[in-house]
Amino acid sequence: MATAQKIRDDLVAPLRQIPRLISATEVASILGISRTNLYAHVSRANFIQPVRIGSSMRFREDLVLEFIERGGMPAKPVKSRTQS
C-alpha cells in the first residue's frame, strides 16, 4: 500500500513542471526597459510572445531567461528585496 507521502509526491510532481509566469512589469525590470518599450518589442515580434490570461499579459520566466542567455537584450542586475 502506498504511503501518504508517496501519494502526495505523485500528485505534486506534475505541478513542478508548470513554468512560472511573470508580469510585463517584472520582465521590463529584468531587462532594464520600460513596459512601453517591452510592448513595442512584442508587437514587432522582436521578443517572445506572451501568454494572455484574459486581458493580462504574462511571460514564461524560463523563456525570458533563455532569451537573455541567447544574447537578447542584456539584463540589468536585479536588486534583492533585502538590499538597501
Side-chain angles (χ1 to χ4, degrees):
M1 186 165 161
T3 66
Q5 182 64 42
K6 170 79 170 107
I7 294 169
R8 193 173 314 120
D9 290 345
D10 290 345
L11 292 172
V12 172
L15 297 176
R16 291 189 183 117
Q17 297 172 6
I18 297 173
R20 182 169 178 256
L21 298 176
I22 58 177
S23 69
T25 302
E26 290 174 286
V27 174
S29 176
I30 290 168
L31 297 173
I33 61 175
S34 68
R35 274 192 358 222
T36 302
N37 196 344
L38 174 64
Y39 295 139
H41 284 287
V42 169
S43 70
R44 290 192 304 260
N46 294 340
F47 194 67
I48 59 172
Q49 291 303 300
V51 174
R52 300 229 182 237
I53 303 171
S55 62
S56 297
M57 180 185 294
R58 296 290 184 263
F59 295 86
R60 284 182 44 180
E61 183 180 43
D62 59 334
L63 296 180
V64 171
L65 297 176
E66 272 182 35
F67 175 80
I68 293 167
E69 288 172 4
R70 286 192 324 255
M73 291 176 253
K76 74 175 194 178
V78 179
K79 279 187 180 180
S80 79
R81 294 183 181 179
T82 57
Q83 292 178 343
S84 301

